[in-house]
Amino acid sequence: MIWTTRRDGATLRMLVHVDDLLISGDKDAAVQAWLRTFLGRFEGNEEPAHHYIGLQIDYDRHAGRLKVHQTEFTEELLRSQGYDDCNPVGVPMEPNTYLYESDRPNIPDVALSTKYMHVVGD
């Protein structure tokens, strides 16, 4: 859930997932004041976010860049499936490849289906 408000000319946002909160805004002073008020009522701590619910957050304040990614998760997923030495490609199939229902087996491969469900998180 994302909660948004405007205070003293600033836009403030709080992203909530169970008991993990991420607070941001467009004016540092307003964010700090809101955070002090919040921490005055609820237990928590203030620290820069580098990870949030499985996402990595890289922020370069001077360059004004924010990058949210899952590099660690992706690399671990590839390692766990034995694909850590693969070469990345822009398109995983040859262009103009067509898949037809007749190309699939009549009986699903249970082992392959189980592995797929494990990888994507059944």
Side-chain angles (χ1 to χ4, degrees), residues 63 65 89-90:
R65 279 191 228 129
V89 295

Side-chain angles (χ1 to χ4, degrees), residues 13-94:
R13 293 173 204 85
M14 182 183 332
L15 179 61
V16 180
H17 178 76
V18 187
D19 63 349
D20 291 320
L21 307 175
L22 190 62
I23 297 173
S24 70
D26 57 1
K27 294 186 179 178
D28 286 344
V31 171
Q32 292 303 317
W34 194 32
L35 188 56
R36 279 192 303 277
T37 301
F38 185 83
L39 292 176
R41 284 191 72 182
F42 302 99
E43 185 179 328
N45 58 354
E46 176 186 356
E47 56 188 54
H50 299 290
H51 289 85
Y52 184 74
I53 59 168
L55 301 171
Q56 291 169 258
I57 303 169
D58 297 326
Y59 181 56
D60 183 342
R61 179 181 296 274
H62 300 295
R65 279 191 228 129
L66 174 69
K67 180 180 177 183
V68 180
H69 57 100
Q70 289 187 296
T71 303
E72 290 175 5
F73 171 78
T74 304
E75 289 173 351
E76 176 53 34
L77 179 62
L78 290 170
R79 249 188 318 280
S80 72
Q81 299 304 310
Y83 292 111
D84 51 327
D85 61 347
C86 291
N87 297 319
V89 295
V91 180
M93 296 182 95
E94 290 294 322

